[in-house]
């Protein structure tokens, strides 16, 4: 059995004790009843009551191992290779998902995680999300999308969130940048020929009073970051909410 990166995952049976180091996948895995641990940033489902093992970038590896998991779920972008290597060296199987560049890629990865790693049926939300996100809305706006401030970091090429916006008819102004998450100076962001500035509430928590004022002349779209960047059950509702926010903003331009 190989994970998304082609690394072997030595599972001899369906795992019954799983630790997730990826918040969006924690939300997806919670209904399986296999989770015994998650990161401090795993906020969904809201009633999740599990042992916390630190952040996704800097998990407490000893705390993960103390839970004696049959499987740890990680991500190539969110988790450090050295932590994955340490877990594997301790004899713990780790399934690493590849950072998705499109919505279909993310959902295909989730399918493999459920059917091959966990050996459970595909949850109902997954085919629904595939259907909801299959359509690509014709181009209707161009946007710059910051995901961090101090320094400014924006969506660049080949990102899941960029594809989410593309499917909603919004072109990413930095889609052709050589970096996936470029760090342009604020003056470059404001100079970009865009209609909108999309401001999610995570990983940086942009708010009506912290974000829009930096972009005079651009129409702000404040969105739930989970809808823009998570690839789990929230994708089912995400299209409606994001589309509604973008449509409302465009009416004011």
């Amino acid at each position: 059995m190989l994970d998304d990166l082609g690394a072997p995952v030595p599972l001899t049976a369906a795992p019954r004790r799983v630790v997730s180091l990826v918040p969006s996948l924690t939300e997806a895995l919670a209904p399986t009843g296999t989770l015994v641990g998650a990161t401090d940033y795993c906020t969904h489902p809201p009633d999740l009551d599990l042992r916390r093992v630190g952040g996704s970038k800097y998990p407490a590896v000893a705390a993960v191992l103390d839970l004696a998991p049959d499987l740890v779920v990680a991500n190539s972008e969110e988790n450090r290779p050295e932590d994955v290597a340490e877990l594997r060296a301790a004899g713990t199987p780790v399934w690493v998902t590849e950072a998705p560049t499109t919505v279909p890629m993310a959902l295909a990865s989730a399918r493999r995680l459920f059917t091959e790693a966990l050996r459970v049926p595909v949850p109902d939300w997954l085919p629904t999300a595939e259907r909801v996100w299959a359509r690509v809305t014709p181009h209707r706006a161009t946007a710059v999308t910051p995901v961090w401030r101090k320094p400014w970091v924006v969506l660049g090429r080949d990102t899941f969130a960029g594809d989410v916006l593309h499917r909603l008819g919004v072109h990413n102004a930095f889609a052709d940048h050589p970096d996936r998450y470029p760090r342009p100076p604020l003056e470059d962001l404001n100079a970009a020929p865009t209609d909108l500035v999309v401001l999610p509430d995570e990983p940086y928590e942009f708010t009506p009073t912290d974000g829009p004022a930096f972009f005079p002349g651009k129409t702000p779209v404040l969105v739930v970051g989970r809808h823009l960047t998570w690839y789990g059950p929230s994708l089912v509702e995400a299209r409606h909410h994001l589309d509604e926010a973008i449509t409302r903003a465009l009416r004011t331009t």
Side-chain angles (χ1 to χ4, degrees):
M1 184 182 301
L2 304 177
D3 67 14
D4 284 358
L5 303 187
V9 184
L11 287 172
T12 57
R16 291 292 175 260
R17 297 180 59 82
V18 177
V19 172
S20 173
L21 301 181
V22 189
S24 64
L25 294 179
T26 298
E27 182 183 29
L29 295 172
T32 68
T34 61
L35 285 180
V36 295
T39 76
D40 299 341
Y41 299 101
C42 294
T43 58
H44 285 76
D47 60 351
L48 191 67
D49 184 18
L50 296 175
R51 171 86 173 272
R52 301 297 174 152
V53 297
S56 54
K57 286 295 184 188
Y58 298 98
V61 173
V64 175
L65 295 174
D66 188 55
L67 289 168
D70 303 316
L71 180 70
V72 173
V73 177
N75 177 263
S76 63
E77 186 172 73
E78 294 196 43
N79 306 114
R80 302 186 308 163
E82 53 264 44
D83 293 324
V84 172
E86 186 175 349
L87 289 165
R88 285 175 171 159
T92 299
V94 183
W95 181 282
V96 180
T97 59
E98 186 173 2
T101 59
T102 66
V103 175
M105 178 181 173
L107 294 174
S109 173
R111 273 188 175 271
R112 288 195 65 229
L113 178 61
F114 283 112
T115 60
E116 296 183 28
L118 296 178
R119 307 178 197 183
V120 297
V122 172
D124 292 342
W125 66 263
L126 207 158
T128 301
E130 290 171 333
R131 184 174 66 255
V132 165
W133 286 98
R135 177 171 53 89
V136 178
T137 299
H139 174 78
R140 54 179 172 157
T142 299
V144 59
T145 306
V147 293
W148 199 256
R149 186 165 85 76
K150 303 177 186 178
W152 289 99
V153 181
V154 299
L155 295 182
R157 64 170 180 85
D158 299 331
T159 65
F160 171 83
D163 189 55
V164 165
L165 292 173
H166 164 69
R167 290 169 186 275
L168 293 167
V170 178
H171 175 69
N172 173 18
F174 287 84
D176 296 326
H177 196 281
D179 297 331
R180 296 185 72 225
Y181 295 98
R183 300 184 175 196
L186 183 59
E187 53 266 31
D188 287 1
L189 299 183
N190 275 307
T194 62
D195 310 288
L196 307 174
V197 54
V198 178
L199 298 166
D201 64 4
E202 66 172 54
Y204 184 88
E205 188 178 2
F206 289 104
T207 69
T209 58
D210 184 4
F214 291 100
F215 301 93
K218 300 186 191 300
T219 301
V221 188
L222 288 134
V223 301
V224 175
R226 177 166 152 263
H227 289 158
L228 186 64
T229 61
W230 286 32
Y231 40 101
S234 60
L235 275 176
V236 173
E237 64 182 41
R239 180 157 197 148
H240 169 75
H241 290 292
L242 292 170
D243 181 71
E244 189 175 61
I246 292 165
T247 301
R248 185 167 56 248
L250 288 174
R251 287 179 184 148
T252 68
T253 58

